[in-house]
C-alpha cells in the first residue's frame, strides 16, 4: 500500500447500516448483527408460491407461534457463516485425531464381538435419526421466519448430516471400509421390531406441517431423550461391556449436543416468555411428542440397555429442561 | 474373507443418500409433496450422479480455511482504510448496486436451496442443494462484511435491505428471484442452477470481480475470488440437474426447454444492470459488455447447447435478439438511470470524453451513431447548469420490471412496446421475450408488484416522488441520489485527496 495513513483525519460518516442503527442505536455493530438482522425480505413479494398459494414466499403464518419480532430469536453463540464453520472446523480436527488414533491403535480389534454387534444394532442405526433431524431442521430453515432463527436451523441441519456421517464412519471402522456394517445396521433400522417405533416416529415427523412444531418435536423432545439414552446411558453400558474406547468416536456428538443445547434453550426461552399463548402451545406440542417418543423408544431401549429406569432417567432430564426453559411450570 | 473396500463414489453414497430409506409408516408423498405438480417425471432418483463429493467434516475444514483468510483481509482493509485505494469515488457506485441489488439475491438463493434441499425426494440431490444453500448464505454475509467498511465512508449502502424490498429498479432483481422461488422445485433448479449459475453466472461475477480488481477494491475482489470455488460446485450441480432431468424421461424435454427459454430471457434482462455497470460505472474498464457477452455467452454457451442437442434441447428462444442487443443494452440502460438519477440510490454521471472514445472504439457500429449525440447533449445541458432529469415516472415492463426504455433492435430510435390482454386488462412489455414469458403464465405475472403502479395507487406512502423516496424508500435525499458531481461522496473524496490520504 502506497498511501500514507492519517487515520485521524478520516471520520466515518456512520457506524453501521441503518437497519442496525434503528435497532441498537448509532454505535459500532458486531459482525453477527450486520450479517443477521433484517436480511430476509419482508414485504412486496411479487408472486405467490405455486406450491403453497395460501402463503407469501416469506410468511409468518407458517407456524401458529407468534412473535412480535422474529429477530428476538438471536443465537447466543453469535454464529454467522464464518464463525460457524471455524468453530466446527476446530471441533472436527479434534475428532479426526480421535478417529485416526482409534484406527492406528487397531482399537477395533480390541473391541469384544458383543460390543461390535451392540454398536451395529443400536448405535449405527441412529444415523437414520440424524438424517431425519437434517430434514426437519432444513424444513424450519426453509419455512421459518427471520434470519436469526433460519440461519441457526441451517447450521443445525448441516451438523446433523455431519453427525450422521460420523456415525457412519464408526460403521466403516468396524467393517474395514466395506460398508457391510452400515448395510446390516440399515436392516436393523428397517426390519428389527425394536426399531420400528422410532422409524415410524421419524417418518411421521417429516409430514408435520407447522415448522415450529417440527422443531420442537425434533430438537427439543427427540434430541433430549435420544442424546441422553444413546450417548450417555449407552456409553456407560459400553464401558461396562469393554467398549470404553467407543467414547472417542462419539465425543463429537456429545460436545455438539452441549453447544446446540445452549442455543436451543435460549431461543425457546424467548419464545415461551413472549406470551402465554406461545408457552401453552409449546407445552401442548411437547406433551404430544413426548408421549409418542417415549412409546417409540421403549422397545429399542429395553433391548439396548438392561436398565428398567433408563427411559425415566431421560424423561426426568427432559422435564428439568422444560422447567428451565419455562415451558412447564 | 476380507470384504471389498468401498471406492470413493460408493463411500460418498454410503455417507449421504444411503441415510434415507423407503417409508413404510407415513405417506412419503406427504413428506415430499412438491415433486409432481410441474409435470416432471422422475423414474429413478438413484440415477442421480453426485456432482461433487464433500462430506461435512471436509466442508467445515476447507470453508473455515477460506473464511480465515478472507476475514484477515477484511480486517486489514478496514484498519488501513482500503477504500482510499479505489480508482475513484465514482467506482463505489458499482458496489452500491451490488449490495442493494445482488446480495439480497444471494439471500434468496440461500432460502431457495434450503427449500429444495428439504423437498427433493432424492437424498443425493437434497444434500447437494443444502450445501449450496449454506454457501449462498456465506455469500450474502461475506458481501455485507466486505461492504460494511464502505458503508462507513460512502452514502447509499446504509439501507440496502429495506431498499431491496421497495425501490423501483430493485424490483427487477427481486422479482427475478421471487419468480424462481415461487416456481416448483425443478423449475427453480433449471432457473438458478442451470440457466443462471451454469450459463450466465460468469457474466455477473467476472465483470464485478475484475471490475473490483481493476479499480483497486481489495475487499470486493477478495470475497469474489473466495466465492469462486463455491461457484465451481454450484455449476456442477447445474449441469447434473439438467442431464438428470433429460435422462429421466423424454416427457421432461419440452418442459425443460420451456424453462430454459424463460430463464435465459429473464437472466439477460437482469444482466442489463451488469452491462451498464461495465460500460459506464467503472472508471477503469475491464472489457465492454459486448465483449463479455461474446466470450461468456456466445462462445461458452454455444458449445454447451451443441452438447445438449443430443437430448433434443435447442438454443434458448430469442437468442438472436440478444446478438443485436449486446450493441445497445448498456447504453440504453444507463440512459434510463441517468435520466432518473434523482430517484436512484446511487450516483449517475455522464461518461468523460476519454470514456466516450473508449465506447466508440468498443461499439463502432452503434455508439457514435446513436448514443454519443445523446451524451453530448446531456453534457451541454449540464455545462449550462441544467443537468437533465426526467419528470414523472416510467411505465414498467410487467415481466422484467425494467422501465420501458429499450428500443426495437432493428430500429434503435424506436422504443419497443408489446402488450397482451388478459381478463380484460392490458399488460405492457419491453420485448417479445418478456411478452412471451407473460403469455405462458399470465396468472403468475398479473401478480407482479410493479413499483410505479404501486406509487400511483398510493401504496408507497405518498403521491409525489420526493415523499416516496424519503419516507418509503428511506433514501437520504441530496446524499444518496442525484449526479455524482456535487455529491457528498465526491466532496469527501476530494477532501481526502487534498489531505493526501487518497
Ligand atoms: Fe452465490
Ligand atoms: Fe452460487
Ligand atoms: Zn421486460
Amino acid at each position: 500500500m502506497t498511501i500514507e495513513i492519517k487515520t485521524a483525519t478520516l471520520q466515518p460518516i456512520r457506524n453501521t447500516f441503518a437497519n442496525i442503527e434503528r435497532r441498537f442505536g448509532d454505535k459500532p455493530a458486531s459482525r453477527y448483527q450486520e450479517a443477521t438482522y433484517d436480511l430476509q425480505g419482508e414485504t412486496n413479494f411479487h408472486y405467490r408460491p405455486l406450491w403453497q398459494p395460501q402463503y407469501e414466499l416469506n410468511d409468518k403464518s407458517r407456524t401458529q407461534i407468534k412473535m412480535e419480532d422474529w429477530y428476538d430469536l438471536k443465537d447466543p453463540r453469535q454464529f454467522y457463516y464464518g464463525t460457524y464453520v471455524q468453530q466446527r472446523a476446530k471441533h472436527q480436527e479434534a475428532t479426526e485425531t480421535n478417529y485416526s488414533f482409534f484406527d492406528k491403535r487397531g482399537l477395533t480389534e480390541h473391541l469384544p464381538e458383543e460390543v461390535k454387534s451392540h454398536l451395529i444394532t443400536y448405535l449405527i442405526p441412529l444415523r437414520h435419526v440424524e438424517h431425519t433431524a437434517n430434514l426437519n431442521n432444513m424444513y424450519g430453515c426453509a419455512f421459518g421466519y427471520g434470519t436469526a432463527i433460519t440461519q441457526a436451523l441451517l447450521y443445525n441441519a448441516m451438523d446433523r448430516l455431519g453427525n450422521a456421517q460420523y456415525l457412519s464412519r464408526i460403521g466403516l471402522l468396524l467393517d474395514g471400509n466395506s460398508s457391510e456394517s452400515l448395510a446390516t445396521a440399515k436392516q436393523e433400522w428397517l426390519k428389527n421390531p425394536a426399531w420400528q417405533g422410532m422409524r415410524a416416529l421419524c417418518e411421521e415427523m417429516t409430514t408435520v406441517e407447522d415448522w415450529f412444531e417440527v422443531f420442537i418435536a425434533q430438537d427439543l423432545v427427540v434430541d433430549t431423550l435420544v442424546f441422553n439414552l444413546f450417548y450417555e446411558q449407552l456409553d456407560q453400558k459400553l464401558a461396562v461391556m469393554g467398549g470404553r474406547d467407543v467414547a472417542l468416536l462419539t465425543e463429537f456428538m456429545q460436545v455438539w449436543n452441549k453447544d446446540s443445547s445452549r442455543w436451543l434453550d435460549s431461543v425457546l426461552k424467548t419464545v415461551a416468555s413472549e406470551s402465554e399463548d406461545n408457552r401453552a402451545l409449546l407445552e401442548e406440542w411437547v406433551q404430544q411428542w413426548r408421549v409418542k417418543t417415549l412409546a417409540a423408544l421403549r422397545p429399542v431401549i429395553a433391548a439396548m440397555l438392561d436398565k428398567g429406569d433408563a427411559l425415566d432417567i431421560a424423561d426426568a432430564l427432559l422435564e428439568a429442561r422444560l422447567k428451565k426453559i419455562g415451558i412447564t411450570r | 474373507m476380507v470384504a471389498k473396500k468401498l471406492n470413493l463414489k460408493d463411500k460418498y453414497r454410503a455417507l449421504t443418500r444411503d441415510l434415507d430409506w423407503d417409508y413404510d409408516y407415513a405417506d412419503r408423498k406427504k413428506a415430499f409433496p412438491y415433486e409432481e405438480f410441474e409435470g416432471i417425471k422422475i423414474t429413478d432418483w438413484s440415477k442421480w450422479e453426485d456432482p461433487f463429493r464433500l462430506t461435512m467434516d471436509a466442508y467445515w475444514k476447507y470453508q473455515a480455511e477460506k473464511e480465515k483468510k478472507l476475514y484477515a483481509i477484511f480486517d486489514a482493509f478496514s484498519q488501513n482504510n482500503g477504500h482510499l485505494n479505489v480508482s475513484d469515488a465514482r467506482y463505489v457506485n458499482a458496489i452500491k448496486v451490488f449490495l442493494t441489488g445482488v446480495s439480497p439475491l444471494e439471500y434468496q438463493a440461500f432460502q431457495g436451496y434450503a427449500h429444495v434441499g428439504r423437498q427433493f425426494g432424492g437424498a443425493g440431490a437434497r444434500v447437494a442443494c443444502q450445501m449450496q444453500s449454506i454457501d449462498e448464505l456465506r455469500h450474502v454475509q461475506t458481501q455485507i462484511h466486505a461492504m460494511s467498511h464502505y458503508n462507513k465512508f460512502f452514502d447509499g449502502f446504509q439501507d440496502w435491505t429495506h431498499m431491496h424490498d421497495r425501490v423501483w429498479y430493485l424490483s427487477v432483481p427481486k422479482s427475478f428471484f421471487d419468480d424462481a422461488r415461487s416456481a416448483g422445485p425443478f423449475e427453480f433448479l433449471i432457473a438458478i442452477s442451470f440457466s443462471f449459475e451454469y450459463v450466465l453466472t460468469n457474466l455477473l461475477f467476472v465483470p464485478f470481480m475484475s471490475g473490483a480488481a481493476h479499480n483497486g477494491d481489495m475487499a470486493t475482489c477478495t470475497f469474489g475470488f473466495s466465492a469462486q470455488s463455491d461457484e465451481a460446485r454450484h455449476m456442477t450441480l447445474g449441469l447434473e440437474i439438467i442431464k438428470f432431468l433429460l435422462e429421466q424421461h423424454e416427457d421432461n424435454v419440452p418442459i425443460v426447454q420451456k424453462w430454459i427459454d424463460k430463464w435465459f430471457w429473464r437472466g439477460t434482462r437482469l444482466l442489463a444492470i451488469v452491462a451498464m455497470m461495465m460500460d459506464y460505472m467503472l472508471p477503469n474498464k475491464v472489457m465492454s459488455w459486448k465483449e463479455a457477452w461474446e466470450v461468456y455467452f456466445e462462445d461458452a454457451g454455444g458449445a454447451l447447447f451443441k452438447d445438449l442437442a443430443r437430448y433434443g434441447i435447442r438454443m434458448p428462444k430469442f437468442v438472436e435478439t440478444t446478438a443485436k442487443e449486446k450493441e445497445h443494452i448498456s447504453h440504453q440502460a444507463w440512459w434510463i438511470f441517468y435520466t432518473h438519477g434523482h430517484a436512484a440510490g446511487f450516483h449517475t454521471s455522464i461518461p468523460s470524453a476519454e470514456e466516450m472514445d473508449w465506447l466508440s472504439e468498443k461499439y463502432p457500429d452503434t455508439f457514435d451513431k446513436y448514443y454519443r449525440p445523446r451524451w453530448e447533449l446531456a453534457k451541454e445541458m449540464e455545462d449550462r447548469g441544467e443537468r437533465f432529469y426526467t419528470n414523472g415516472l416510467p411505465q414498467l415492463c410487467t415481466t422484467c420490471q425494467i422501465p420501458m426504455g429499450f428500443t426495437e433492435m432493428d430500429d434503435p430510435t424506436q422504443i419497443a412496446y408489446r402488450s397482451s390482454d388478459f381478463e380484460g386488462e392490458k399488460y405492457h412489455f419491453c420485448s417479445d421475450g418478456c411478452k412471451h414469458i407473460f403469455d405462458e403464465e399470465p396468472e403468475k405475472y398479473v401478480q407482479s408488484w410493479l413499483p410505479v403502479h404501486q406509487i400511483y395507487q398510493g401504496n408507497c406512502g405518498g403521491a409525489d416522488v420526493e415523499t416516496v423516496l424519503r419516507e418509503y424508500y428511506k433514501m437520504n435525499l441530496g446524499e444518496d441520489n442525484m449526479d455524482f458531481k456535487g455529491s457528498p461522496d465526491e466532496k469527501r473524496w476530494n477532501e481526502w485527496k487534498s489531505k493526501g490520504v487518497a
Side-chain angles (χ1 to χ4, degrees):
Chain A
M1 256 170 241
T2 52
I3 52 155
E4 196 188 318
I5 301 145
K6 297 174 191 158
T7 330
T9 63
L10 282 182
Q11 274 309 311
I13 52 173
R14 55 179 74 79
N15 282 306
T16 183
F17 294 105
N19 57 309
I20 307 293
E21 189 181 316
R22 285 193 289 273
R23 285 177 176 277
F24 303 106
D26 187 8
K27 54 182 182 212
S30 70
R31 279 194 168 134
Y32 174 74
Q33 288 173 329
E34 290 194 342
T36 300
Y37 290 93
D38 312 306
L39 260 60
Q40 182 185 288
E42 295 266 344
T43 185
N44 303 334
F45 301 103
H46 291 274
Y47 327 98
R48 296 237 159 203
L50 293 177
W51 35 273
Q52 271 183 354
Q54 69 275 32
Y55 296 118
E56 294 280 12
L57 273 168
N58 302 339
D59 199 318
K60 291 175 183 161
S61 64
R62 283 197 178 94
T63 174
Q64 292 179 65
I65 291 289
K66 293 201 168 45
M67 293 296 298
E68 181 61 32
D69 179 4
W70 280 95
Y71 284 95
D72 285 345
L73 306 188
K74 60 178 183 284
D75 185 345
R77 303 164 302 179
Q78 305 229 354
F79 277 165
Y80 55 93
Y81 182 92
T83 44
Y84 163 71
V85 288
Q86 292 188 63
Q87 180 66 33
R88 289 293 176 267
K90 262 188 225 146
H91 195 172
Q92 76 80 31
E93 206 181 301
T95 308
E96 214 44 54
T97 313
N98 285 356
Y99 274 69
S100 56
F101 179 82
F102 196 94
D103 199 24
K104 266 194 210 124
R105 293 288 173 95
L107 296 184
T108 309
E109 284 124 62
H110 295 296
L111 287 181
E113 279 310 311
E114 197 200 359
V115 168
K116 286 189 198 167
S117 94
H118 217 64
L119 292 175
I120 292 172
T121 311
Y122 301 113
L123 185 69
I124 314 292
L126 260 196
R127 70 197 202 109
H128 302 294
V129 179
E130 289 292 338
H131 171 260
T132 306
N134 164 267
L135 284 175
N136 289 337
N137 281 281
M138 284 312 296
Y139 190 83
C141 172
F143 288 156
Y145 199 90
T147 316
I149 183 77
T150 60
Q151 72 172 331
L153 287 166
L154 179 61
Y155 305 145
N156 192 305
M158 301 316 279
D159 287 340
R160 310 316 289 266
L161 180 61
N163 288 348
Q165 292 175 342
Y166 279 126
L167 286 166
S168 309
R169 281 181 57 190
I170 297 177
L172 295 175
L173 276 175
L174 296 182
D175 64 28
N177 258 320
S178 72
S179 84
E180 252 165 41
S181 66
L182 300 183
T184 313
K186 190 163 188 176
Q187 285 311 304
E188 296 287 342
W189 174 250
L190 292 174
K191 301 276 166 60
N192 184 340
W195 270 116
Q196 298 317 295
M198 270 311 277
R199 176 152 83 96
L201 182 86
C202 285
E203 294 182 10
E204 187 190 344
M205 276 193 287
T206 62
T207 63
V208 174
E209 276 177 33
D210 188 310
W211 67 271
F212 214 97
E213 182 180 353
V214 176
F215 173 49
I216 289 297
Q218 175 72 60
D219 290 3
L220 180 59
V221 179
V222 173
D223 286 353
T224 304
L225 298 173
V226 162
F227 273 77
N228 171 262
L229 290 161
F230 287 80
Y231 295 108
E232 284 177 38
Q233 299 200 45
L234 175 61
D235 199 54
Q236 288 157 12
K237 173 163 177 175
L238 289 172
V240 175
M241 290 167 78
R244 188 181 301 276
D245 295 340
V246 175
L248 280 172
L249 306 177
T250 54
E251 195 185 298
F252 183 92
M253 283 69 106
Q254 303 204 24
V255 177
W256 175 82
N257 186 43
K258 277 202 195 88
D259 174 270
S260 156
S261 298
R262 186 154 81 91
W263 157 72
L264 186 74
D265 290 354
S266 149
V267 163
L268 293 182
K269 199 175 226 168
T270 306
V271 175
S273 59
E274 172 92 357
S275 69
E276 173 53 24
D277 283 356
N278 280 358
R279 192 209 57 79
L281 188 56
L282 293 180
E283 185 172 18
E284 188 190 317
W285 282 335
V286 166
Q287 299 310 359
Q288 271 174 29
W289 287 99
R290 183 185 199 174
V291 172
K292 281 187 193 180
T293 310
L294 287 170
L297 282 166
R298 192 153 288 122
V300 67
I301 297 308
M304 178 175 87
L305 304 170
D306 25 39
K307 238 168 66 183
D309 59 349
L311 271 186
D312 294 337
I313 294 172
D315 192 43
L317 213 78
L318 176 61
E319 182 59 33
R321 194 170 183 187
L322 296 174
K323 285 222 172 70
K324 192 180 131 209
I325 295 170
I327 293 177
T328 57
R329 289 169 184 144
Chain B
M1 202 185 87
V2 179
K4 203 171 140 263
K5 286 197 177 185
L6 291 181
N7 64 30
L8 273 179
K9 179 175 159 184
D10 291 334
K11 186 170 177 185
Y12 189 71
R13 284 176 178 232
L15 294 175
T16 52
R17 69 179 74 176
D18 193 40
L19 299 169
D20 201 357
W21 68 91
D22 289 330
Y23 281 20
D24 283 318
Y25 301 100
D27 181 1
R28 202 168 158 94
K29 279 197 179 137
K30 224 181 138 197
F32 303 97
Y34 307 125
E35 262 186 22
E36 284 169 9
F37 80 91
E38 298 171 275
I40 286 289
K41 292 176 182 158
I42 302 297
T43 53
D44 186 1
W45 268 114
S46 76
K47 292 285 187 318
W48 174 268
E49 289 286 340
D50 295 313
F52 47 85
R53 299 188 198 114
L54 202 51
T55 48
M56 282 314 297
D57 54 347
Y59 183 85
W60 290 322
K61 190 175 162 199
Y62 296 144
Q63 299 298 102
E65 278 163 18
K66 281 155 65 176
E67 290 307 72
K68 214 170 136 192
K69 286 184 200 148
L70 182 59
Y71 280 88
I73 291 178
F74 288 168
D75 288 341
F77 185 82
S78 59
Q79 271 158 27
N80 298 328
N81 286 307
H83 66 282
L84 298 175
N85 290 334
V86 300
S87 55
D88 182 70
R90 252 190 330 137
Y91 161 75
V92 175
N93 294 295
I95 52 175
K96 294 177 194 176
V97 172
F98 196 91
L99 183 67
T100 55
V102 180
S103 301
L105 304 192
E106 304 274 18
Y107 191 86
Q108 288 222 56
F110 144 64
Q111 294 188 288
Y113 283 99
H115 176 59
V116 294
R118 166 60 184 81
Q119 294 299 342
F120 280 135
R126 278 204 305 272
V127 169
C129 290
Q130 291 174 9
M131 287 204 176
Q132 179 154 355
S133 175
I134 193 167
D135 284 342
E136 302 295 359
L137 180 64
R138 169 181 195 237
H139 297 172
V140 58
Q141 293 183 328
T142 51
Q143 286 161 21
I144 295 165
H145 291 149
M147 305 292 178
S148 175
H149 179 79
Y150 284 103
N151 173 53
K152 296 185 175 113
F153 291 94
F154 296 89
D155 295 318
F157 291 95
Q158 73 278 359
D159 237 335
W160 62 281
T161 164
H162 180 87
M163 280 173 63
H164 187 76
D165 273 351
R166 294 165 180 83
V167 173
W168 58 279
Y169 56 92
L170 296 175
S171 81
V172 176
K174 181 178 162 94
S175 67
F176 175 91
F177 235 103
D178 278 10
D179 194 350
R181 272 179 68 213
S182 57
F186 292 108
E187 184 180 343
F188 176 80
L189 251 72
I190 294 297
I192 306 303
S193 290
F194 179 72
S195 304
F196 205 76
E197 299 265 21
Y198 197 83
V199 184
L200 298 174
T201 198
N202 280 334
L203 284 157
L204 178 66
F205 273 88
V206 178
F208 268 106
M209 298 323 142
S210 326
H214 279 67
N215 287 278
D217 175 4
M218 264 301 268
T220 305
C221 189
T222 314
F223 86 64
F225 282 113
S226 187
Q228 276 287 303
S229 54
D230 304 336
E231 288 309 323
R233 256 185 285 121
H234 303 171
M235 288 174 78
T236 61
L237 173 57
L239 203 56
E240 174 55 25
I241 187 66
I242 194 146
K243 285 195 173 148
F244 178 71
L245 291 186
L246 296 173
E247 281 167 8
Q248 280 289 303
H249 204 288
E250 60 185 20
D251 291 356
N252 294 344
V253 177
I255 303 176
V256 168
Q257 181 71 57
K258 191 178 80 186
W259 290 336
I260 292 176
D261 291 345
K262 167 179 169 181
W263 287 99
F264 171 75
W265 188 258
R266 215 116 167 44
T268 58
R269 275 295 176 260
L270 180 64
L271 291 172
I273 296 172
V274 183
M276 72 177 201
M277 192 278 298
M278 290 186 82
D279 286 346
Y280 287 89
M281 300 182 79
L282 297 179
N284 295 340
K285 312 289 186 205
V286 178
M287 56 162 71
S288 69
W289 170 251
K290 185 182 156 200
E291 288 167 324
W293 183 258
E294 287 165 353
V295 175
Y296 296 112
F297 178 71
E298 292 179 359
D299 299 351
L304 168 70
F305 279 97
K306 233 175 244 156
D307 210 45
L308 292 174
R310 68 193 151 108
Y311 296 107
I313 291 292
R314 49 157 178 76
M315 277 295 241
K317 248 195 177 102
F318 308 111
V319 71
E320 334 67 62
T321 314
T322 63
K324 297 175 189 163
E325 285 200 340
K326 69 185 178 195
E327 296 273 5
H328 300 281
I329 215 81
S330 65
H331 315 294
Q332 299 182 358
W334 188 242
W335 183 252
I336 294 171
F337 279 95
Y338 179 78
T339 54
H340 292 88
H342 54 302
F346 58 92
H347 301 302
T348 48
S349 50
I350 300 171
S352 68
E354 302 82 71
E355 286 174 316
M356 283 204 238
D357 291 345
W358 181 83
L359 289 164
S360 301
E361 186 198 315
K362 295 293 179 186
Y363 295 93
D365 298 333
T366 54
F367 186 73
D368 285 349
K369 195 163 165 198
Y370 302 109
Y371 304 108
R372 181 185 280 273
R374 222 184 252 187
W375 291 118
E376 283 174 345
L377 180 64
K379 182 82 175 86
E380 268 174 51
M381 293 177 71
E382 184 189 80
D383 290 345
R384 287 203 303 271
E386 294 165 18
R387 199 288 195 191
F388 178 69
Y389 292 106
T390 305
N391 283 322
L393 299 167
Q395 185 173 41
L396 304 179
C397 170
T398 307
T399 303
C400 72
Q401 311 207 8
I402 296 176
M404 306 277 276
F406 295 138
T407 63
E408 298 293 347
M409 285 304 138
D410 293 322
D411 181 3
T413 61
Q414 196 62 46
I415 301 283
Y417 288 104
R418 302 288 182 277
S419 66
S420 291
D421 294 303
F422 182 71
E423 293 181 341
E425 292 279 337
K426 201 169 213 56
Y427 296 89
H428 300 275
F429 312 100
C430 70
S431 56
D432 293 327
C434 281
K435 175 178 157 60
H436 175 76
I437 291 171
F438 178 93
D439 291 343
E440 291 280 309
E441 279 178 285
E443 308 79 4
K444 184 167 199 179
Y445 296 98
V446 297
Q447 301 172 57
S448 305
W449 191 90
L450 294 174
V452 174
H453 282 49
Q454 297 295 327
I455 292 171
Y456 283 136
Q457 285 167 20
N459 297 332
C460 302
D464 65 299
V465 175
E466 207 182 301
T467 311
V468 172
L469 297 176
R470 190 182 333 101
E471 314 271 319
Y472 191 64
Y473 294 175
K474 294 194 197 292
M475 276 184 195
N476 296 325
L477 299 185
E479 294 171 14
D480 301 340
N481 63 341
M482 312 299 279
D483 203 291
F484 176 71
K485 277 196 186 142
S487 68
D489 269 8
E490 185 195 42
K491 205 172 134 248
R492 278 187 297 266
W493 181 256
N494 289 338
E495 266 168 37
W496 299 331
K497 292 208 111 172
S498 70
K499 284 182 185 156
V501 292

